[in-house]
């Protein structure tokens, strides 16, 4: 093949291997530029119209440094109480996760298309999941503080109701993705509905079940650190009172304890995941 | 001639090997777990008279909130736009900081001390609940949307930088080596070998984070960091339960809409 042949290649070849290669077609390129332009416009609109006093923005690093300066050194005189309340925080997260997991089992069974008895129950399951997930833990906590009064019980109820949506949704998806053949095999032998669930479905979703439960426990540990701010028990209460009375050094101790707790939670859940899955 | 020992030694019934071999240890562990659960639940301070009063109180709250009151929709829209602006600016700022942070926290391209620094930054950003971070920022820079933006920047770094660092650790290293072999300087390697590989993930994460910032901005307003949450907290504090319900309905609706939009965009990328 000579040089001449290459330049006078047939059209299909030229189209497939153009001399000038572009990653995107002009149309894709255009869409990307438009997307960028749109993003820039939205950001520009936000910056120019947000109700911020700009002097405060430039002043923010100084203020932050001042705040951190006040926190050093952390005051550990109340460490005993702080650790005790930290333990209460762990209990809230653990018990709430336990109940949430138990409740989410039947909900997931309702919300999965292949196990739900009929369309009405499917929608019932979905409504439970959506309403649980779209209301924030803090808002649930406000409600339960009104019912149970301030304290750990309101916290457990809030975290539990919030978790049901999360666990149920992921578990429902796992049920929908199972291999249908074991189910068919059992049905072919004339097994009852309960037996099919116990022997064909449960073993298949077991790994997901543990993974989701551990993940949610980890998340709940973080969530339960702020419950105290609305009076629903746990470490947040001490943090709030330390901040309100400007005891910054004690607040620093509480923050360090929370950091330690979350790190510990992450280590424990990573270990459990390795052992169980 | 003796019979082969193998099959005879196998039990009739096969059972899955246990996670903990030692039965004593296994049962002891179960016992500890059971004792913990029973102990904790049994000592829960539930005051049943308080609870029965609580139900009538909750009924009052719900009764007062129905029907939802959309009369002050101007306030609602203002609060909502502020939440949107907070979410947009925080996502932008958060992603801007997350990119260098992610490069620092990627084991395959960062030197070890820098790697530890990057990881520590991400861990601290992730550990504190946004509400706690918001309280600190409100104390430092005062009430209002600025505290909200700063809070959500921290929140965004915790998620975006972590996921992006993981993506950088998974890149095809051949391209980096190819560029290095041509003698390309560090920045060129970054821009031509690493960046194109992580860009789609970065865009996807940014959109996801915008969605989740919008959600979080409704929550941090409760502690004074601006946005619709502040409007909600005010309505709740003034016992305007009907207005509070209207706000909650709008928040849930907006979250569903933004979830749908961001899902669509991420599907196309």
């Amino acid at each position: 093949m000579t040089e001449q042949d290459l330049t006078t290649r047939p059209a299909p070849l030229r189209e497939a291997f153009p001399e000038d290669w572009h990653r995107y077609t002009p149309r894709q390129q255009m869409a990307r530029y438009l997307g960028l332009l749109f993003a820039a416009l939205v950001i520009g609109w936000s910056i120019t119209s947000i109700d911020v006093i700009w002097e405060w923005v430039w002043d923010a690093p100084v203020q932050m440094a001042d705040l951190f300066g006040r926190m050093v050194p952390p005051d550990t005189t109340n460490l005993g109480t702080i650790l005790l309340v930290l333990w209460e925080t762990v209990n809230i997260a653990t018990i709430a996760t336990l109940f949430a997991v138990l409740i989410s089992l039947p909900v997931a069974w309702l919300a999965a298309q292949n196990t739900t008895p009929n369309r009405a129950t499917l929608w019932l399951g979905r409504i439970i999941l959506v309403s649980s997930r779209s209301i924030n833990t803090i808002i649930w906590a406000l409600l339960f503080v009104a019912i149970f009064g301030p304290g750990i019980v309101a916290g457990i109820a809030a975290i539990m109701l919030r978790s049901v949506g999360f666990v149920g949704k992921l578990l429902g998806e796992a049920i929908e993705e199972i291999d249908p053949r074991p189910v068919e095999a059992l049905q072919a032998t004339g097994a009852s509905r309960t037996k099919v669930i116990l022997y064909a479905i449960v073993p298949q979703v077991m790994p997901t079940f543990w993974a989701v439960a551990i993940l949610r426990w980890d998340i709940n540990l973080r969530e339960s650190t702020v419950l105290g701010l609305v009076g629903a028990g746990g470490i947040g209460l001490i943090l709030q009172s330390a901040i309100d009375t400007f005891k910054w050094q004690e607040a620093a101790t509480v923050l360090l304890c929370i950091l330690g707790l979350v790190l510990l939670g992450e280590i424990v859940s990573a270990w459990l995941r390795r052992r169980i899955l | 001639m003796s019979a082969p020992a193998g099959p005879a030694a196998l039990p009739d019934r096969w059972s899955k090997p246990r996670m903990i071999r030692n039965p004593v240890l296994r049962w002891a562990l179960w016992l500890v777990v059971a004792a913990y659960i029973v102990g904790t639940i049994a000592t829960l301070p539930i005051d049943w008279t308080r609870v029965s009063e609580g139900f009538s109180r909750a009924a009052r709250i719900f009764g007062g909130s129905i029907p939802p009151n959309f009369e002050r929709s101007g306030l609602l829209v203002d609060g909502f736009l502020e939440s949107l602006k907070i979410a947009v600016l925080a996502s932008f700022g958060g992603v801007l900081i997350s990119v260098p942070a992610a490069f620092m926290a990627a084991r395959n391209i960062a030197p070890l001390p820098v790697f530890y620094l990057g990881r520590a930054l991400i861990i601290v950003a992730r550990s504190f609940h946004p509400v706690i971070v918001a309280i600190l920022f409100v104390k430092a820079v005062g009430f209002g949307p600025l505290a909200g933006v700063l809070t959500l920047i921290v929140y965004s770094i915790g998620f975006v930088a972590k996921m992006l660092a993981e993506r950088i650790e998974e890149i095809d290293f051949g391209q980096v080596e190819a560029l290095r072999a041509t003698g390309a300087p560090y920045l060129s390697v970054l821009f031509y070998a690493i960046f194109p590989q992580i860009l789609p993930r970065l865009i996807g994460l940014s959109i996801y984070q915008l969605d989740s910032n919008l959600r979080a901005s409704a929550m941090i307003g409760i502690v004074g960091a601006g946005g619709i949450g502040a409007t909600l907290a005010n309505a709740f504090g003034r016992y305007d339960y009907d207005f509070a319900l209207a706000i909650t309905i709008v928040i849930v609706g907006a979250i569903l809409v933004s979830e749908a939009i961001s899902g669509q965009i991420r599907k196309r990328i």
Side-chain angles (χ1 to χ4, degrees):
Chain A
M1 226 187 244
T2 62
E3 191 84 9
Q4 192 81 44
D5 290 327
L6 276 171
T7 48
T8 56
R9 300 171 297 175
L13 208 64
R14 241 180 329 188
E15 234 165 70
F17 303 100
E19 275 160 34
D20 205 11
W21 183 82
H22 290 283
R23 186 166 179 190
Y24 301 105
T25 63
R27 209 196 171 115
Q28 281 172 324
Q29 195 67 269
M30 202 66 187
R32 292 172 76 85
Y33 282 135
L34 279 178
L36 267 181
L37 185 71
F38 178 70
L41 281 178
V42 172
I43 292 167
W45 165 73
S46 303
I47 290 184
T48 48
S49 67
I50 197 164
D51 194 14
V52 161
I53 299 163
W54 291 96
E55 283 74 33
W56 288 7
V57 179
W58 316 130
D59 198 31
V62 180
Q63 297 297 330
M64 295 303 297
D66 179 52
L67 191 64
F68 282 115
R70 282 165 207 256
M71 288 184 176
V72 183
D75 172 14
T76 54
T77 44
N78 267 339
L79 195 63
T81 327
I82 293 173
L83 289 179
L84 203 69
V85 180
L86 208 61
W87 174 242
E88 192 182 284
T89 310
V90 176
N91 288 345
I92 295 177
T94 312
I95 297 294
T97 310
L98 188 78
F99 280 126
V101 161
L102 290 180
I103 296 174
S104 69
L105 288 176
V107 178
W109 171 71
L110 283 180
Q113 275 177 354
N114 50 352
T115 50
T116 195
N118 55 51
R119 298 223 42 102
T121 52
L122 177 69
W123 281 105
L124 176 70
R126 295 231 163 129
I127 286 171
I128 296 175
L129 293 186
V130 166
S131 50
S132 155
R133 279 189 318 128
S134 44
I135 298 174
N136 198 280
T137 311
I138 301 275
I139 297 181
W140 279 121
L142 280 172
L143 182 67
F144 285 113
V145 167
I147 296 178
F148 292 110
I152 179 171
V153 181
I156 291 177
I159 299 244
M160 183 180 86
L161 271 183
R162 168 77 166 169
S163 308
V164 165
F166 180 90
V167 180
K169 179 179 193 285
L170 291 178
L171 216 54
E173 279 168 9
I175 295 176
E176 282 177 355
E177 278 164 16
I178 59 165
D179 181 353
R181 285 171 300 188
V183 178
E184 283 162 16
L186 270 178
Q187 277 166 350
T189 65
S192 68
R193 221 186 151 85
T194 333
K195 287 237 165 92
V196 171
I197 291 175
L198 279 181
Y199 293 100
I201 297 176
V202 169
Q204 289 197 59
V205 296
M206 219 48 186
T208 314
F209 171 79
W210 285 111
V212 172
I214 295 168
L215 176 63
R216 191 64 218 187
W217 178 74
D218 197 12
I219 296 173
N220 283 347
L221 213 52
R222 278 163 227 249
E223 297 259 286
S224 58
T225 59
V226 295
L227 287 171
L229 303 173
V230 290
I235 191 81
L237 200 63
I238 292 192
L239 182 66
Q240 178 85 321
S241 72
I243 290 176
D244 284 346
T245 50
F246 301 106
K247 285 192 207 146
W248 288 109
Q249 291 171 324
E250 193 180 313
T253 315
V254 175
L255 289 177
L256 286 176
C257 286
I258 292 177
L259 187 66
L261 174 73
V262 171
L263 288 183
L264 202 68
E266 214 146 273
I267 293 170
V268 169
S269 60
W271 179 80
L272 277 177
R273 217 166 296 161
R274 253 202 330 274
R275 289 303 300 264
I276 292 178
L277 303 184
Chain B
M1 217 165 135
S2 63
L10 284 176
D12 285 345
R13 279 178 73 102
W14 180 85
S15 65
K16 212 175 115 192
R18 303 286 187 156
M19 194 172 82
I20 301 165
R21 288 276 175 74
N22 185 345
V24 179
L25 197 68
R26 188 166 66 231
W27 286 106
L29 203 67
W30 275 119
L31 217 66
V32 170
V33 171
Y36 166 78
I37 293 170
V38 172
T40 319
I41 295 177
T43 54
L44 280 183
I46 301 184
D47 178 356
W48 289 107
T49 49
R50 177 71 184 73
V51 173
S52 61
E53 282 168 32
F55 276 108
S56 62
R57 194 178 313 221
R60 213 161 45 239
I61 292 180
F62 275 116
S65 70
I66 293 170
N69 180 353
F70 286 97
E71 262 167 40
R72 274 164 294 173
S73 48
L75 220 56
L76 191 65
V77 170
D78 281 350
F80 213 83
L81 281 181
E82 189 167 84
S83 269
L84 190 64
K85 288 172 200 166
I86 292 174
V88 167
L89 290 183
S91 308
F92 179 61
V95 168
L96 221 55
I97 301 177
S98 289
V99 173
F103 276 103
M104 284 168 72
R107 186 66 210 94
N108 53 349
I109 51 172
L112 208 58
V114 176
F115 167 72
Y116 284 131
L117 190 69
R119 282 284 146 167
L121 182 73
I122 292 176
I123 287 174
V124 173
R126 265 167 58 77
S127 294
F128 294 111
H129 195 283
V131 170
I132 292 180
V133 181
I135 293 174
L136 293 179
F137 276 121
V138 166
K139 289 285 165 178
V141 302
F143 287 97
L146 176 61
V149 172
L150 292 174
T151 302
L152 293 183
I153 284 178
V154 173
Y155 178 56
S156 308
I157 293 172
F159 182 75
V160 177
K162 181 179 148 74
M163 300 306 264
L164 202 61
E166 276 166 17
R167 179 71 190 89
I168 295 173
E169 284 173 350
E170 285 164 8
I171 58 165
D172 177 1
F173 222 68
Q175 304 177 27
V176 177
E177 279 165 9
L179 268 179
R180 279 191 185 152
T182 66
Y186 185 73
L187 274 181
S188 301
V189 173
L190 225 59
F191 274 105
Y192 293 103
I194 301 174
F195 232 75
Q197 292 196 58
I198 61 167
L199 200 60
R201 183 61 164 276
L202 181 62
I203 296 172
L205 282 174
S206 311
I207 290 165
Y208 179 84
Q209 190 59 40
L210 183 65
D211 183 25
S212 93
N213 278 347
L214 190 62
R215 216 175 263 250
S217 82
M219 161 179 77
I220 58 170
I222 295 173
V223 293
I228 188 82
T231 322
L232 179 65
N234 281 338
F236 225 87
R238 276 192 253 123
Y239 306 106
D240 281 343
Y241 294 128
D242 50 353
F243 187 41
L245 180 65
I247 297 172
T248 312
I249 291 173
V250 173
I251 292 178
V252 171
I255 287 173
L256 289 179
V257 169
S258 89
E259 204 170 72
I261 293 175
S262 87
Q264 277 297 320
I265 296 177
R266 271 181 294 146
K267 218 181 281 169
R268 291 206 189 152
I269 288 172

